[in-house]
Amino acid sequence: MFIFLSIIVLFFIIHINANTFNDTEITYPPFWHIAPSSLSEFPLINDSFSQYRLIDPWFYPHRLGLYKILINVTTPFMPFCSSSNASNILFALPSQFGWQFSSNRLFTNGTMNISTNSWWASANYYLSVIPFLVAVDIGLIHKEPFRILRQNNFCSSSSECFRQIPHAMEQWYLFFLHLTQSASCISNKKLTQRIIEKCYLQHIWTAYKSSIYNALPLVESKLDYLPSEVEKLFGLGWARFINLISMTRKNTDLYETIRNQRKFLPFRMLKESDRIPESNDLPDLVNRSLKNLLSFRFDWLLFIEKIWSRITCNYEGRIYAQYTLETMALSKLLASTYLAKATMNAFLYKCDR
């Protein structure tokens, strides 16, 4: 009885959209080729007392460079990566950042300068600077003297960030620790998707969620600068849905991220007229996604998360939970079939969390 009740409840109140489009094209974030790929490529500052590299995280190429360095230093620890780095599971971070830039959610307005008033840019700050500082601290990045340009109340050093957003710092430490020790997790096992999920994806999702959830209260005041109430609902809704997506341990490489961005994320900021999502300039699946997101009952979110956590408690359930999310916008009948299979597998197989 619980299984069928779970199916009915989740089918009608979970509104996450994905797609079944299979695209292996490598599309890097805008201006990826000009972003610094090492600390030595940032501007060198000489003053009367010291010499250091200056990083301005409010200049788009510089923040993108933090991601590029992280991709470069972590790829050797991911044996499933190709020579292009596109299979690196950290690519969800710069790819999302690139989408924010392209859609002007960073308030760059045709320049490379990111506004500190941008809610999206402010939240993303803790998804870029935090993992970068942690990677430096544990020795993944060659420790050349550098300084991060401080703006407003955004932390700019490890000690400051540990005081401001300690849980996120801790979770990124754990992610990089697991990453550097991933060989022992894999052992002599064949590198299957199940092993990649266990040894890599579960840890990055934990760190990713921690940065987002702990950043939201810190950047709440920036919501007032968003151009419409619809854009605000979209941003907060997306941030809250991350936990549901993370429970499925979906792949976060460049291929998957770009595929989903192209299908479901609006290429511009939203206006009040988008509240009834029939905008002619937005693709059909984006309109469907907005309709679902804007009608979601967030007062039921804790209840949904409790059920979803049970359904995704093992690998067999998580696979079909991913299929559920990937087909919801295309066919509710197919999505409900996958959801039924995910729920059944959750009870047929042992939980592995």
Side-chain angles (χ1 to χ4, degrees):
M1 181 66 181
F2 176 77
I3 295 177
F4 293 106
L5 177 61
S6 300
I7 294 172
I8 293 172
V9 171
L10 285 169
F11 178 70
F12 283 105
I13 62 180
I14 288 184
H15 298 292
I16 301 177
N17 292 279
N19 64 86
T20 56
F21 181 70
N22 184 19
D23 187 4
T24 57
E25 178 187 353
I26 298 176
T27 305
Y28 290 103
F31 301 105
W32 182 257
H33 63 288
I34 69 170
S37 56
S38 67
L39 274 174
S40 62
E41 295 181 24
F42 286 92
L44 181 64
I45 304 299
N46 285 289
D47 59 28
S48 54
F49 301 102
S50 61
Q51 184 181 77
Y52 58 89
R53 300 288 174 176
L54 182 63
I55 301 171
D56 181 1
W58 299 97
F59 182 56
Y60 174 77
H62 277 205
R63 192 183 295 192
L64 191 63
L66 301 185
Y67 287 130
K68 194 172 184 179
I69 293 171
L70 285 172
I71 296 293
N72 289 342
V73 300
T74 56
T75 295
F77 295 97
M78 302 179 192
F80 48 85
C81 281
S82 64
S83 58
S84 68
N85 290 352
S87 296
N88 189 306
I89 60 173
L90 280 166
F91 248 119
L93 304 180
S95 185
Q96 284 276 295
F97 182 55
W99 164 74
Q100 292 167 4
F101 174 79
S102 298
S103 59
N104 201 35
R105 286 179 165 83
L106 305 178
F107 294 179
T108 47
N109 298 319
T111 72
M112 294 287 190
N113 299 314
I114 303 170
S115 172
T116 56
N117 289 332
S118 165
W119 177 82
W120 291 93
S122 298
N124 176 269
Y125 184 92
Y126 297 98
L127 277 169
S128 53
V129 170
I130 298 299
F132 177 80
L133 288 174
V134 172
V136 171
D137 284 349
I138 67 173
L140 275 177
I141 298 173
H142 176 64
K143 198 164 186 178
E144 182 176 349
F146 70 90
R147 294 181 189 176
I148 294 178
L149 186 65
R150 184 181 176 86
Q151 291 278 11
N152 300 336
N153 64 334
F154 294 93
C155 62
S156 58
S157 67
S158 289
S159 58
E160 287 180 352
C161 291
F162 257 117
R163 289 192 296 270
Q164 186 178 70
I165 189 166
H167 189 263
M169 291 287 285
E170 292 166 1
Q171 292 305 315
W172 280 107
Y173 265 98
L174 289 175
F175 166 71
F176 288 122
L177 179 64
H178 285 297
L179 180 65
T180 56
Q181 298 176 355
S182 56
S184 61
C185 177
I186 298 172
S187 188
N188 294 322
K189 305 182 188 74
K190 184 179 179 181
L191 196 62
T192 63
Q193 189 58 42
R194 183 190 293 265
I195 294 298
I196 292 173
E197 186 212 76
K198 174 186 176 183
C199 299
Y200 298 91
L201 291 173
Q202 70 164 319
H203 304 301
I204 194 171
W205 272 114
T206 301
Y208 185 32
K209 285 191 305 179
S210 183
S211 274
I212 292 177
Y213 288 154
N214 287 282
L216 289 178
L218 300 177
V219 303
E220 186 177 7
S221 63
K222 311 293 183 179
L223 288 169
D224 294 335
Y225 294 99
L226 291 176
S228 69
E229 187 68 20
V230 178
E231 178 70 17
K232 182 188 298 186
L233 291 173
F234 168 67
L236 290 175
W238 177 246
R240 290 167 179 167
F241 271 129
I242 288 297
N243 194 38
L244 296 178
I245 300 172
S246 73
M247 289 184 196
T248 72
R249 298 181 185 173
K250 187 174 178 62
N251 201 320
T252 52
D253 65 12
L254 182 61
Y255 303 111
E256 281 291 307
T257 308
I258 287 294
R259 185 168 66 94
N260 289 311
Q261 284 176 186
R262 286 176 172 174
K263 287 292 184 178
F264 307 113
L265 298 185
F267 57 80
R268 60 165 173 79
M269 285 188 285
L270 301 176
K271 304 170 290 188
E272 285 302 326
S273 59
D274 294 316
R275 187 177 294 274
I276 302 176
E278 297 176 355
S279 303
N280 292 330
D281 66 325
L282 294 178
D284 180 58
L285 282 179
V286 173
N287 277 323
R288 292 191 207 177
S289 298
L290 291 176
K291 181 179 180 180
N292 289 338
L293 191 64
L294 296 177
S295 63
F296 187 83
R297 291 290 303 273
F298 282 104
D299 53 332
W300 292 355
L301 186 58
L302 290 178
F303 176 60
I304 296 170
E305 288 178 339
K306 184 176 181 180
I307 297 175
W308 195 244
S309 178
R310 181 65 184 89
I311 290 176
T312 58
C313 76
N314 56 43
Y315 178 78
E316 290 76 13
R318 288 190 292 272
I319 289 297
Y320 283 95
Q322 288 181 26
Y323 295 160
T324 302
L325 303 185
E326 291 170 359
T327 55
M328 185 70 77
L330 300 175
S331 168
K332 289 190 176 181
L333 178 60
L334 182 58
S336 64
T337 302
Y338 285 137
L339 180 58
K341 182 66 174 177
T343 307
M344 183 171 61
N345 283 353
F347 289 89
L348 288 177
Y349 298 91
K350 183 179 179 181
C351 284
D352 57 18
R353 290 194 188 279

